Amino acid sequence: MLPAPRADLAPNTFDYEVMPLVKATGFREYDARWLFGPEINLLGVQALGLGLGTYIHELGQTRIVVGHDYRSYSLSIKQALTIGLVAAGCEVIDIGLATSPMAYFAQFDLDAPCVAMVTASHNENGWTGVKMGAQRPLTFGPDEMGRLKEIVLGGTWKQRPGGSVAHIDGVRERYIADAASRAQISRPLKVIAACGNGTAGAFAPEALRRMGVAEVIEMDCDLDWNFPKYNPNPEDHHMLSEMAKAVREHGADLCLGFDGDGDRCGVVDDEGEEIFADKIGLMLARDLSQLHKDATFVVDVKSTGLFATDEVLKANGATTVYWKTGHSYIKRKTAELGALAGFEKSGHFFFNPPIGRGYDDGIVAAAAILAMLDRNPGKKLSDLKKALPVAYTSLTMSPHCADEEKYGVVEDVVREYTEFAKGGGKILGREIVDVITVNGVRVALEDGSWVLVRASSNKPEIVVVVESSRSEDDMRALFREEVKPRLARRPQVGAYNQEI
């Protein structure tokens, strides 16, 4: 029997070769992320597989899809995970190299209730992780992750006979065909597919061509696990800047950018201007609410406040619910409410039938955006953006904060803002009209502007977003004169990954 994991093992030692290493911090709110080597070793991944297999047995399941993203070490991690799942008596269905949405699709395609996708998503090289689910199209949330953590760290898994593994071909072809069927474009469009040399490069360009896109220009679509130019993250300023440059060079109608595991989509319009995913979500909600009256949409607390005030949505009877940031939270809330779609500012889009199957898929999101353009043949994407009410929203900015400290820091900020609001405090001369604390703290001001501080669910970081209804200068002031100084008073908060 594999011994219970330890957290104090060092690489290049005897114990590291014979004992599982699993650091507790890798169990996040809705998936698992570790630095491979210093935080988890292959025996630790095997222990994770034993724990996951034991847990899905508790849930009455045994059949599970596994896939892996394109990293130099992902295949070996998936194989270690598979050894653990088989030892726990699971029927493992290995679909090979995949994006996360392809693994979710395979749950439906192969009639498997459970999934374990080995991916570090858009994280830098060195990171690994697993996205898991046992009730399609949902993925684990805090309750499921808490139980899994308890089993794995306690070494209380159960080995069972009857485990098996089968390698299944053909899922990639069926997945691309299914995703492409979500839009059939009659309007001639020139579209750039930007993949940052990540896994989506093996899927997205072909899917876009099958949707009827007249000209698909591939940008960094060759798989290269060194990520020679930048991390495949369409929320990162570097990738967005390169996407914008490519649109101007090629005279493209738009650029669609996909993250490392293909479940997110970023957009740059025909003028070379980035459109954050919440604004794309609002454009899609306007378009879809005309086709589906009285629709419900779910958006995360990092998203623009325009969803709550938009006159087009009101005229179409649409309802918007703000909810916790995180792909698992928004996915679950979208399913729970029977919402037509859910939008997350980081670029996760969730479409329920008839548009999608409820899980986040960057290519299905691309199909929805292209279908919207097809329904508006006389308008460019920039025209649809300019038709929106004006709001100036920042990049997502993330100062470093250790996993062991970030939640305590954010709790303190929540308490401080709550007391500040109760005491009649003002932010840059404006009254506070609402303090939303479902996920960190979102402080709404009298003119519709707001600031957000929350803990990252998958990295040792705090997340900051601000939005102004007035101007870009005011948006910058909300960050530089309000949020940044407030966080700077806390020594646990370090350097930002990017700043406005």
Side-chain angles (χ1 to χ4, degrees), residues 3-209:
R6 287 169 49 184
D8 61 344
L9 303 178
N12 197 21
T13 63
F14 177 83
D15 284 348
Y16 190 88
E17 287 298 300
V18 298
M19 297 282 294
L21 166 70
V22 182
K23 293 249 175 122
T25 50
F27 294 92
R28 311 298 171 112
E29 290 180 43
Y30 44 80
D31 57 21
R33 301 272 175 97
W34 290 274
L35 281 167
F36 181 48
E39 296 181 356
I40 195 168
N41 61 7
L42 288 175
L43 287 175
V45 177
Q46 187 175 330
L48 178 67
L50 274 162
L52 177 58
T54 299
Y55 181 43
I56 68 172
H57 268 279
E58 288 182 4
L59 299 174
Q61 307 293 349
T62 59
R63 189 170 164 86
I64 184 167
V65 168
V66 299
H68 70 282
D69 68 1
Y70 196 77
R71 306 265 181 163
S72 61
Y73 43 84
S74 289
L75 177 56
S76 62
I77 288 170
K78 183 184 71 176
Q79 289 172 329
L81 184 75
T82 298
I83 290 170
L85 288 167
V86 171
C90 292
E91 181 187 353
V92 178
I93 305 165
D94 188 342
I95 61 171
L97 181 68
T99 60
S100 290
M102 177 175 149
Y104 304 149
F105 166 81
Q107 289 177 269
F108 293 86
D109 183 57
L110 302 173
D111 193 22
C114 305
V115 66
M117 175 66 194
V118 172
T119 178
S121 187
H122 64 277
N123 282 22
E124 296 84 358
N125 266 329
W127 285 93
T128 190
V130 187
K131 293 180 178 178
M132 296 161 277
Q135 184 187 356
R136 62 190 180 203
L138 306 181
T139 42
F140 283 178
D143 291 344
E144 294 89 348
M145 289 304 300
R147 177 58 183 144
L148 177 63
K149 178 180 179 180
E150 180 182 43
I151 296 169
V152 174
L153 297 185
T156 57
W157 50 72
K158 295 180 181 178
Q159 292 194 198
R160 290 180 170 88
S164 65
V165 58
H167 296 268
I168 305 297
D169 293 326
V171 179
R172 176 182 179 273
E173 166 59 31
R174 293 193 295 275
Y175 164 69
I176 290 175
D178 181 82
S181 72
R182 306 290 170 176
Q184 289 303 306
I185 310 304
S186 57
R187 176 181 175 179
L189 291 173
K190 182 189 289 188
V191 178
I192 298 170
C195 296
N197 302 111
T199 319
F203 303 87
E206 176 64 18
L208 294 176
R209 291 188 181 96

Side-chain angles (χ1 to χ4, degrees), residues 373-387:
L373 279 172
D374 208 48
R375 285 190 287 270
N376 292 272
K379 295 180 180 177
K380 299 177 180 179
L381 191 59
S382 58
D383 297 327
L384 297 177
K385 180 186 73 174
K386 290 169 185 174

Side-chain angles (χ1 to χ4, degrees), residues 370-445:
L370 294 173
M372 173 178 67
L373 279 172
D374 208 48
R375 285 190 287 270
N376 292 272
K379 295 180 180 177
K380 299 177 180 179
L381 191 59
S382 58
D383 297 327
L384 297 177
K385 180 186 73 174
K386 290 169 185 174
L388 298 178
V390 177
Y392 304 89
T393 314
S394 74
L395 297 162
T396 298
M397 299 168 285
S398 301
H400 184 271
C401 190
D403 283 318
E404 298 87 348
E405 296 177 327
K406 65 186 181 184
Y407 291 104
V409 169
V410 169
E411 283 176 14
D412 190 47
V413 173
V414 170
R415 177 192 54 76
E416 187 173 287
Y417 268 126
T418 302
E419 292 177 357
F420 186 57
K422 286 179 180 176
K426 294 185 177 181
I427 291 179
L428 302 191
R430 278 160 278 186
E431 292 183 4
I432 297 170
V433 296
D434 196 12
V435 178
I436 301 172
T437 58
V438 295
N439 188 204
V441 60
R442 176 172 166 142
V443 184
L445 309 181

